[in-house]
Amino acid sequence: MMKIIQYFLLLACGVTLCSCSSGPTSVVRVIDNPTANEIVIAIDGKELAIPANSKTKYTFEYGKHNLAYNNESFDFVVKPAKFSGKGFINPTQSNYMLHTIVYSTDNTSEEDYKKFYEETLHKIPIIFNGEEEEVELPVKVVNDIFIEDEHNKFDYSIDQKMPKEIHENIYKNQTYQDSRTKVYREKEYINFLKNEYSEFLNDEGGKLEISFPNKPIKLAEINQYAFPTINLEKIECDAGKKYLAETLDNWKQLYTLKGSDFASKYEELGGDKSNGNRPFARYKELCPKDTDRGNTDVQTVLQLDNFIRDTRDIHFYIIK
C-alpha cells in the first residue's frame, strides 16, 4: 500500500445554499469522445459529429429520446430526479476510472488511515507490457453509456480537478478522515498512475506500457427498464383492475410528452406530487382481500413499485 495524499489540517467553511424558482424542463449532459477518431452519433435522428479527444454539451428535453451509434440504437428517457446529480454520456463505451483519494487530518494514526484506505481498494485487471495482471488499487473501472453519479458515486467528473485538501467543520484537534472520488479518462488515468504510483508499479524508468481491458456490456444486455406486463383480465377485483389500467395508460402517455408537460405528469405519477404513493399500496387499499404476495398478479404490481423506485433518482434510463 502506498499513501499518495498529503496530510493537512481541515479548515471550517460555510456552505451557501441556493433555491430554485420554477422547475427545470431539461437536462444538459456532456457527450464525451476520448477516442483517437471522430465519431458521429444521432440523437432523435439528428446527426452530431464529435471530434477525436473532445466533448460536446447537449440539452435533452424531458421525455423519450433515441440515440444511435455504430449501427446500434436504443431508446431512453430523460426525467426529473429527486436528487439532481452529475453525469456524462459515453457512446463509445470507453473505459473511465473512478479513483478515490483519502483525506485525513495530521493527527490521524497510521492504523486508522490504513483501515479507511483499505475500504477504497478494488481488485482490477491491468495489462502491463501485454500481460494481464490483477492488482489492488482505489479505483473502479466503468464503461457504461450513461455514467451517472447516482450509480457510481463520484464527486469530481472529467475535466474537474481533484483538490489537494478539503474543508469540513471539525473541532480543534479532532481526528477526521474522508474520501473523494474523481472520474478519469483511461489515458489520463494511466498518466496519473505513472506519476503518482511509479514506485508501486515498479516503473521508475517510465518504460512500463499500461492499459486496461475494455469489456463493455453489449447494448442488448444493458439494464433496460420496462413496465411488467399485467394481464388485467385475470384480476378479479374490478376496482383494482380499473386502477391498474388507468395507471398503465398514464405511464404510456407520459412517454409521449416533452419538457414541462413531461415534468408535470411525472410529478403526479412518480415524483413529489404523488405523495410517495405506489401502485401496490393503492391496489392493496382497493383490493384488500386480493393482496396475497404469493399471487402472480400481485407480484406484477410490486414490480411496478420497483420500477418507480429504481428510476426515481436518475435522470437517464434506457427503456425497452
Side-chain angles (χ1 to χ4, degrees), residues 65-190:
H65 297 274
N66 178 269
L67 190 149
Y69 171 68
N70 198 25
N71 297 318
E72 290 189 280
S73 69
F74 59 87
D75 293 328
F76 62 98
V77 168
V78 182
K79 53 171 279 296
K82 179 68 175 178
F83 302 103
S84 180
K86 302 179 292 293
F88 60 96
I89 300 175
N90 172 28
T92 61
Q93 293 182 274
S94 299
N95 286 340
Y96 289 83
M97 284 61 187
L98 280 67
H99 182 91
T100 299
I101 287 183
V102 173
Y103 298 88
S104 69
T105 49
D106 286 332
N107 57 356
T108 300
S109 69
E110 289 289 329
E111 182 181 354
D112 287 343
Y113 173 82
K114 181 178 180 180
K115 182 179 179 181
F116 196 100
Y117 175 81
E118 287 178 347
E119 292 177 356
T120 70
L121 295 176
H122 299 277
K123 292 183 178 180
I124 61 168
I126 301 184
I127 301 172
F128 297 112
N129 293 334
E131 297 292 329
E132 184 172 318
E133 298 180 24
E134 188 175 75
V135 300
E136 274 195 334
L137 285 170
V139 68
K140 175 184 175 184
V141 182
V142 297
N143 43 46
D144 303 325
I145 292 177
F146 296 119
I147 299 179
E148 299 282 305
D149 69 350
E150 174 62 29
H151 287 155
N152 296 292
K153 304 299 181 186
F154 57 85
D155 303 286
Y156 304 97
S157 189
I158 52 176
D159 300 327
Q160 288 183 303
K161 291 184 178 181
M162 177 76 84
K164 292 183 178 180
E165 60 183 55
I166 59 175
H167 301 268
E168 296 288 342
N169 289 315
I170 63 172
Y171 295 107
K172 186 178 181 180
N173 298 323
Q174 177 184 346
T175 299
Y176 184 84
Q177 306 90 41
D178 206 349
S179 64
R180 297 290 187 273
T181 299
K182 173 180 164 44
V183 184
Y184 290 87
R185 299 176 180 90
E186 182 173 342
K187 291 180 181 178
E188 296 166 351
Y189 188 67
I190 290 172

Side-chain angles (χ1 to χ4, degrees), residues 227-228 230 244 247-248 251 278-279 299-309:
F227 283 102
I230 297 179
L244 290 173
T247 299
L248 293 175
W251 278 94
R278 292 294 178 263
Q299 288 298 317
T300 304
V301 178
L302 286 171
Q303 289 177 37
L304 282 176
D305 279 31
N306 294 338
F307 170 86
I308 296 171
R309 180 200 63 207

